[in-house]
Amino acid sequence: MKTRLVSVALSVALATTPFASAAYASAYDAKPKLVVVLVLDQFRGDYLDRFRADFKTPNGFNLFLKRGAYFPECYYDYANTMTAPGHSTIGTGAYTNGHNIAVNDWWDLSRSTKHSFSSVEDADYPLVGASSGAEAGASPRNELASTLGDEVVLGTGGKAKLFGISLKDRAAILTSGHASRGAYWIDHATGHFESSKYWMNALPAWVEAFNSKGRAEQARKEAGGAAGDFYDKVGDSPAAVSYELDFAKALIEHEGLGKDDVTDVLTISLSSTDILGHEVGPDSPRQQEMIDATDVYLNDFFNFLQEHVDGGLDNVWVALTGDHGVAPSPSVAIGEGMPAASFSAKALNTELDRELSARFSPNEPVQFVLGGELPYIQLDARAFQKFSVGEGEAEELVKELLPGALDATQPGALKADPNSRALKPATLRRVYTKVQIAAGNVPNTEEGRLILHSYTTNGGWWVMVSPGMYQMSGFAETGTTHYSPYSYDRHVPLAFFGSAFVPGTYLTRTAPVDIAATFAALLRVNQPTACVGRVVTEALKPVANDR
């Protein structure tokens, strides 16, 4: 009897402790009021620590570094490190073999033999608010998995509001998903925000007002009075970050996000770090200045949320990550003694066509290679079929020819002095065929898993290439790019802020797919349909059973 009384007393005591009362989080009871998925394009995982001493604001990056759960060891677990698949992966919690978005653009010969298609291109849904009717329509229909936001909308019977914002259409659309009430991105020429008829027949009055009040022109002045294409001339400046976040504030205010009896979801992708990064590389003082300015603008944005969301930041959860990392500029890497190199993808494709034509059609050149975006080289199935060559044979032949073709495109002068640290010829470390990957015929290694996660049915026939480390197409001088399986392209930050998380730095290995998994678990909604992420339980506060 005494034992039983002690047990009951202990149970009562435990039930009244703070540990047991830490109940929170449900999309059904609007705790939190707002979830923000914040993506910085081309934001490598070392940046937050590399520039940490620069961050002076309390609610910019320090919101995550000092008051959030910070995971510096976050890496994508696939090899096609590009913008469109990165945003799809963040939104869906899946890799390309789950959501099917592999690159930004690919060839689809069933739709057209004259041009490639964007990852979000959809002629059934013309653009709304664009400056030119010649621009293609857009929708999320190429994304073959649901997103976190989609599941919150479904889990609340359509009550939750879901929106996506970016300078880029693919970033705004693919991160937010299918069930959003709107995705907005800029018209490249004017900088005005636009959308498509997938969501609306005309821009809402508040978007029209934002576009007409001269904010884009103000951004041009802030960027030094740049004339010409807004995306190119203003997009690579901090002024574009401020401009995009001002639009986000307008959306929050006019659409009433964070004011309802359910949890709303907003995805924001800041594109300027990518636009500038391609031009100058990650080691340029200009990129550091961009990141420092972004810290200030984020501080202003989160202060805005404090004032405009019911309950302030106590009722807001945020995840911060990047859609991919980036390689150092070849010139910088070479200066440090790394085996960097630059090559021409266009010349490589031309040489492949020359060699294939010599084999199959010596008297009449034929285009066998469509090209497309690396790391995929897309082939024209029609050309091979004219010579009774099937997919497997065609891809294996291209795989065999690729190393020699690359070697043939590079000037012999680059090979003159093997002891020099001057620019060396590029090499191909690995080549995989689509048929090979589809059959799972890859090495049972870490790299093999990355390749399997990069599989897509888009693009027809293709081979997938991995150049040597620090080697890339183009960008021989100051610029750089990304698309490789190497750690510098896969490394991004991951951080969470909000009442559900225990602040601290966690060195456990994580991946961006963990964002969707973690938020879905906390909000008590289904994980996205192809989600493979894990819940970061090590950074979560305990939850009581009396929800």
Side-chain angles (χ1 to χ4, degrees), residues 47-247:
Y47 286 174
L48 288 182
D49 285 305
R50 187 177 186 181
F51 305 123
R52 190 168 189 158
D54 295 356
F55 306 147
K56 307 301 182 185
T57 67
N59 289 333
F61 290 122
N62 281 327
L63 190 73
F64 306 96
L65 294 172
K66 294 185 178 180
R67 298 170 58 190
Y70 172 43
F71 294 84
E73 294 300 306
C74 178
Y75 290 84
Y76 280 95
D77 204 31
Y78 63 1
N80 51 312
T81 43
M82 299 284 286
T83 294
H87 284 87
S88 291
T89 293
I90 294 164
T92 66
Y95 293 110
T96 291
N97 63 335
H99 55 64
N100 212 35
I101 304 294
V103 281
N104 300 326
D105 300 89
W106 60 81
W107 286 85
D108 183 347
L109 298 179
S110 68
R111 297 166 71 185
S112 175
T113 60
K114 297 181 179 179
H115 62 86
S116 60
F117 288 85
S118 157
S119 56
V120 294
E121 189 169 334
D122 190 340
D124 289 342
Y125 297 98
L127 299 190
V128 174
S131 62
S132 170
E135 294 184 69
S139 85
R141 294 203 301 185
N142 285 322
E143 188 172 59
L144 302 186
S146 68
T147 64
L148 167 72
D150 290 337
E151 296 299 335
V152 174
V153 172
L154 290 169
T156 59
K159 293 180 180 180
K161 299 187 180 90
L162 168 64
F163 289 92
I165 300 170
S166 180
L167 299 186
K168 301 180 180 181
D169 55 1
R170 54 188 177 269
I173 294 170
L174 298 173
T175 323
S176 53
H178 304 261
S180 63
R181 298 195 183 184
Y184 296 100
W185 58 92
I186 66 165
D187 178 291
H188 276 218
T190 66
H192 291 169
F193 279 89
E194 62 187 25
S195 189
S196 94
K197 289 192 175 182
Y198 179 87
W199 294 279
M200 61 199 75
N201 290 321
L203 292 176
W206 70 264
V207 179
E208 293 279 14
F210 184 91
N211 285 338
S212 65
K213 289 183 177 179
R215 184 62 183 87
E217 290 67 32
Q218 178 187 336
R220 286 187 184 276
K221 292 179 181 178
E222 293 171 1
D229 186 275
F230 185 97
Y231 182 90
D232 292 331
K233 302 299 183 181
V234 182
D236 67 353
S237 72
V241 178
S242 173
Y243 176 66
E244 187 178 339
L245 289 175
D246 277 356
F247 183 81

Side-chain angles (χ1 to χ4, degrees), residues 6 34 65 71 112 126 177 267 279 282 290 334 347 409 414 477 481:
V6 170
L34 179 65
L65 294 172
F71 294 84
S112 175
T267 70
E279 298 172 9
M290 172 72 78
I334 289 166
T409 65
L414 293 178
E477 298 301 327
T481 194

